[in-house]
Amino acid sequence: MLTQGFLAALAILPVFSTADIPGNTPQVLPNGKYEIASEGIRAQFIPYAASITNLFIRDVHGVERDVVLGFDNATYYSISRLHPHLNGVPGRYANRIKNSTFAIDGKTYHVDANDNGGRDTLHGGSDGWDYRNWTVTAHTADSITFSLVDPDGKEGFPGEVTACVTYTLTPYQWHLRMKAISTTKKTPIMLSSHDYWNLDGFQNPSTCLALNHSLHMPYARQRIAIDGIAVPTGEILANEKYGLNDFWSAPKQLGANLTDPELLGNCGTNCEGYDNCYLTNREQLGPYDWSAAPVATLASAWSGIQLDIYTDQQALQMYTCNNMNGTFALKETQGFFNDPSRPRVSEKYGCVVIEVEDWIDGINNPQWGRDKRQIFGPADDPYVLQATYKFSLNHELATRSEQRHPKKCGPKEGETPCPGHGHDDSPDDYTDDYYTEGDFMEDPPPQPSY
C-alpha cells in the first residue's frame, strides 16, 4: 500500500519532457536493464539500488565507450558478493557514521555497524538503500524515475522515509534529481551517486588504469580530516598548493603523486591513494548558481572524453578504487578480448569514484553546522540533491597526448575495442599530460577560511 508520505514524494518530483528523438522509445532490454537516450549519450539502469549500469559516450576516435563499471546482467547485482556500492544510491545516510551512533534532540540512536569490524556504519548499513530493489514509477525515452519506501527502524534509523530518484538525459548530459521526505520522525538523510568512472572504457592500449585521468576541483581547497578507518575526526584540513591533495590550483593526473611517500595513509591506515572528502565551500562566498560552474572536471587525454560535474551539494568524496584487486570482471562492452596481457578485470586504480554529497558524518560534528542539510523531520522541506554530468570532447588535450604518446594501435572501423598491448605503469606515465590552467579557468575561485 502506498503511504501518504510516498504519494507526497511523488507529488514533488520534477516533470521532464521526452526528447524528440526519431525512433527512440522506452526500452527494457533482454538483460533486464532499462535504457534511455538523447543526442550523443545513452544509458542503462536497473531497479537494484536505482543504479546506472552502462553509460555510452563517443570519443575522439569516433568509438562509443562505456565509461562506468558494472555487470552485464541486471540479476547479478543482487547475487554477487563483490558489492562496492556499484553506481547506486547509498542511503539513507551516505558514507560513514562514527561509532554507528548519532543523537537528535538529545536522544541517541544506534544503527547497523557494518564497517571496519563493527566500528562504524558505511552507506546506511548492511541493507542500505543500494542493496535494495527500487520501484520504477516512470520510464520514457529519455528519463526514468525510481522510488523507495524506507520503514521506521530499518537499520536502526528513526522514522519512515520515502524517496524518489529521477535520471534524465539531454544532449550530451546526464541529470540527477533526488528527493526524500521524512514522514514520521526526525532522521538523518544524506544521499549520493556512487559512480565508478573509467573514461577510456578500459580500452586505452597503454594502460588499464585511470591514473592517466586528469582531475580538477577548483573549489576544493579544504578536506575533512579522517582517522585510520576513514572516519572524520572533526578537523578541517587545508589542501596545500602543489601538495598531495591539491586538485584546485590546476588540473593534474590522478597518478601524479603515485610515488609520494605521503600517499600511504592519505586515505587511512595502510591505504594508498585517495578516499577523501573535499569541500566545495561555495555557499560561504555568498549566493551562487550551482549550474553555472562545475565543481569537478575529469578528463582522459587518450579518449578525449571530458566530464564536467555540476551539483548543489557542498562536498565531493573522491576514491581512486584502491580496493580493486583484479577480481571484478569488466562488461562485454569494455576492455580487450584475446589479449593475455590485459585480463578482463578492473585492477587497483582502474577507476575513480566522485560522489556528490554533503559533509560526511556531519551529524556527529555539530560544530560544522550541517543539521539543516542533514536532519529532516515531517515539518521540514524535503531533502534534495541535484547534479548534472556534462560530457564533451577535449580535442586539444587528446592532440597533445597523441604527440607525446603515439598510439600503438587504434580502433578499426566498426570495431569497438582496439587490440592493444598493456605495459607496467610507472610514475613517469602520469607526469606529462597535465592540463594548463587555461583549459578550464584562468584563476581558481576565492575560498573562505575557517
Side-chain angles (χ1 to χ4, degrees):
M1 178 180 294
L2 298 181
T3 67
Q4 289 184 343
F6 177 73
L7 294 174
L10 287 179
I12 62 172
L13 276 173
V15 177
F16 298 100
S17 62
T18 301
D20 185 16
I21 305 173
N24 185 28
T25 56
Q27 293 189 62
V28 181
L29 304 177
N31 59 13
K33 299 178 181 181
Y34 292 72
E35 185 167 82
I36 61 177
S38 186
E39 180 185 353
I41 185 171
R42 65 187 180 97
Q44 296 168 6
F45 300 86
I46 57 171
Y48 186 81
S51 301
I52 185 170
T53 63
N54 304 75
L55 183 59
F56 298 97
I57 302 292
R58 200 167 293 276
D59 71 359
V60 293
H61 309 293
V63 177
E64 192 178 60
R65 308 289 177 187
D66 186 355
V67 296
V68 295
L69 205 60
F71 296 125
D72 285 313
N73 196 293
T75 60
Y76 198 63
Y77 283 77
S78 60
I79 297 173
S80 173
R81 289 177 294 177
L82 294 171
H83 193 297
H85 305 280
L86 190 61
N87 304 338
V89 179
R92 76 174 67 173
Y93 194 87
N95 218 287
R96 290 177 171 85
I97 299 175
K98 185 176 183 178
N99 297 325
S100 301
T101 63
F102 56 87
I104 298 178
D105 294 338
K107 182 176 180 179
T108 298
Y109 295 90
H110 300 270
V111 291
D112 179 46
N114 66 321
D115 192 39
N116 288 307
R119 289 188 284 174
D120 65 279
T121 297
L122 178 63
H123 293 322
S126 302
D127 193 27
W129 290 11
D130 58 354
Y131 283 86
R132 301 188 215 167
N133 281 304
W134 293 52
T135 299
V136 178
T137 56
H139 181 208
T140 69
D142 63 0
S143 182
I144 188 167
T145 296
F146 298 95
S147 65
L148 179 75
V149 178
D150 194 26
D152 182 10
K154 190 74 173 77
E155 304 302 286
F157 288 96
E160 179 193 72
V161 172
T162 62
C164 295
V165 176
T166 296
Y167 301 123
T168 300
L169 299 184
T170 59
Y172 304 97
Q173 298 182 25
W174 174 32
H175 306 273
L176 289 73
R177 302 289 187 272
M178 301 183 186
K179 292 194 176 184
I181 295 176
S182 176
T183 62
T184 58
K185 301 175 184 176
K186 287 186 177 181
T187 189
I189 303 175
M190 187 174 81
L191 307 181
S192 186
S193 184
H194 204 281
D195 309 310
Y196 286 72
W197 301 100
N198 183 303
L199 298 183
D200 297 333
F202 298 92
Q203 293 168 337
N204 183 338
S206 296
T207 179
C208 60
L209 308 181
L211 294 176
N212 67 319
H213 289 24
S214 292
L215 177 64
H216 190 206
M217 299 187 291
Y219 300 95
R221 294 197 187 196
Q222 296 171 315
R223 71 188 187 279
I224 293 177
I226 55 175
D227 63 16
I229 58 172
V231 171
T233 65
E235 185 181 3
I236 303 298
L237 302 177
N239 298 324
E240 296 182 4
K241 192 172 184 178
Y242 308 126
L244 188 70
N245 289 284
D246 173 18
F247 290 94
W248 60 266
S249 66
K252 72 176 181 182
Q253 291 192 336
L254 295 174
N257 298 101
L258 196 62
T259 59
D260 190 327
E262 294 184 4
L263 190 66
L264 180 62
N266 185 61
C267 46
T269 302
N270 295 323
C271 178
E272 190 170 21
Y274 297 93
D275 192 1
N276 304 90
C277 184
Y278 298 87
L279 307 181
T280 58
N281 292 337
R282 293 164 297 172
E283 66 180 0
Q284 307 294 332
L285 303 172
Y288 67 93
D289 177 2
W290 68 266
S291 63
V295 293
T297 296
L298 183 71
S300 164
W302 180 76
S303 69
I305 295 174
Q306 178 170 307
L307 166 60
D308 292 298
I309 300 176
Y310 300 73
T311 184
D312 62 351
Q313 299 300 291
Q314 299 299 314
L316 299 167
Q317 182 84 13
M318 192 265 286
Y319 166 60
T320 47
C321 296
N322 317 313
N323 294 325
M324 288 285 175
N325 59 7
T327 59
F328 196 100
L330 302 179
K331 291 174 290 187
E332 292 182 356
T333 52
Q334 298 175 322
F336 298 95
F337 294 85
N338 303 317
D339 185 348
S341 70
R342 293 292 292 270
R344 294 190 45 74
V345 294
S346 178
E347 305 282 357
K348 182 179 181 179
Y349 306 132
C351 48
V352 59
V353 178
I354 303 174
E355 305 167 47
V356 296
E357 59 196 5
D358 200 57
W359 297 26
I360 61 174
D361 201 29
I363 54 175
N364 281 315
N365 290 278
Q367 72 275 19
W368 296 344
R370 309 310 296 176
D371 281 4
K372 289 186 178 180
R373 285 184 170 269
Q374 299 192 13
I375 303 294
F376 297 86
D380 297 322
D381 291 335
Y383 167 91
V384 176
L385 180 152
Q386 300 180 85
T388 295
Y389 297 79
K390 294 184 179 181
F391 294 89
S392 60
L393 297 181
N394 192 322
H395 291 278
E396 180 182 353
L397 179 66
T399 299
R400 292 205 304 265
S401 177
E402 177 70 12
Q403 291 170 347
R404 293 188 180 103
H405 307 293
K407 283 189 295 184
K408 299 176 182 178
C409 61
K412 299 177 182 178
E413 185 175 356
E415 183 179 60
T416 298
C418 62
H421 300 282
H423 64 77
D424 292 331
D425 298 284
S426 68
D428 291 340
D429 293 322
Y430 310 110
T431 57
D432 59 355
D433 281 331
Y434 289 87
Y435 293 99
T436 62
E437 286 192 23
D439 284 325
F440 297 123
M441 58 199 316
E442 293 182 359
D443 295 297
Q447 298 290 307
S449 59
Y450 285 85

